[in-house]
């Protein structure tokens, strides 16, 4: 029923129609949450000993979360929440998978792709008008209230405070 409702959802339909990745990210996050809930209900030693270490629920959850790496601004808070919740094995497995995937991307696409990505990110922090008009966020409002402050300082401060809050909550 949930899948049918998601497909009938106007926001989900628009995301798919516009080629957004949110459907894939939501699917990966949902699978990971399912595996988290399965872990909390399945705590017997007998079950843990039966599974292979490579195919445990942490590894499957890490694989399900890999699409989130497409948007680093989404995976970093998620990793901080996992660290705050004490899911160190999952974070280590996710990190290993992402290192391998980035290594493969580096071999296939070359270092110029990564340089272009970081140049685009730098342009986004330097061009204040574009950011304020496009993102009505806490960062954008602070940039309007504090025009003399460097946008990178505002961004990093807001991001760090958000990550600290996530860690403490988790």
């Amino acid at each position: 029923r949930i899948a049918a409702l998601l497909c009938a959802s106007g926001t989900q339909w628009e995301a798919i129609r516009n080629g957004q990745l949110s459907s894939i990210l939501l699917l990966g996050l949902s699978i990971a949450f399912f595996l988290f809930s399965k872990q909390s209900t399945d705590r017997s030693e007998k079950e843990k000993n039966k599974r292979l270490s490579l195919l445990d629920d942490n590894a499957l959850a890490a694989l399900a979360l890999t699409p989130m790496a497409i948007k680093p601004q989404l995976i970093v808070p998620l990793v901080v929440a996992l660290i705050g919740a004490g899911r160190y094995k999952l974070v280590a497995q996710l990190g290993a998978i992402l290192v391998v995937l980035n290594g493969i991307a580096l071999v296939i696409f070359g270092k110029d792709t990564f340089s272009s990505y970081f140049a685009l990110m730098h342009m986004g922090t330097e061009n204040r008008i574009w950011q304020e008009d496009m993102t009505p966020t806490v960062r954008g409002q602070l940039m309007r209230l504090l025009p003399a402050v460097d946008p990178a300082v505002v961004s990093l401060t807001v991001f760090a405070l958000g990550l600290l809050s996530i860690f403490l909550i988790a």
Side-chain angles (χ1 to χ4, degrees), residues 122-140:
H122 182 68
M123 184 196 72
T125 59
E126 292 298 317
N127 192 347
R128 294 175 63 114
I129 296 170
W130 178 72
Q131 282 293 339
E132 289 174 356
D133 289 342
M134 295 298 289
T135 57
T137 60
V138 172
R139 175 187 178 269

Side-chain angles (χ1 to χ4, degrees), residues 103-151:
I104 292 169
L106 185 62
V107 169
I108 292 173
F109 301 113
K111 66 177 183 167
D112 292 337
T113 302
F114 287 87
S115 299
S116 297
Y117 176 77
F118 289 117
L120 177 66
M121 293 299 106
H122 182 68
M123 184 196 72
T125 59
E126 292 298 317
N127 192 347
R128 294 175 63 114
I129 296 170
W130 178 72
Q131 282 293 339
E132 289 174 356
D133 289 342
M134 295 298 289
T135 57
T137 60
V138 172
R139 175 187 178 269
Q141 299 310 309
L142 284 175
M143 286 173 49
R144 288 180 186 196
L145 292 173
L146 307 168
V149 180
D150 183 23

Side-chain angles (χ1 to χ4, degrees), residues 5 14 18 22-23 37 42 44 50 54 61 70 72 75 80 85 92 104 117 128 131 137 144:
L5 288 174
E14 286 300 317
N18 292 322
S22 59
S23 302
S37 68
D42 185 25
S44 69
K50 276 186 185 178
L54 283 175
I70 294 170
I75 198 165
V80 169
I104 292 169
Y117 176 77
R128 294 175 63 114
Q131 282 293 339
T137 60
R144 288 180 186 196

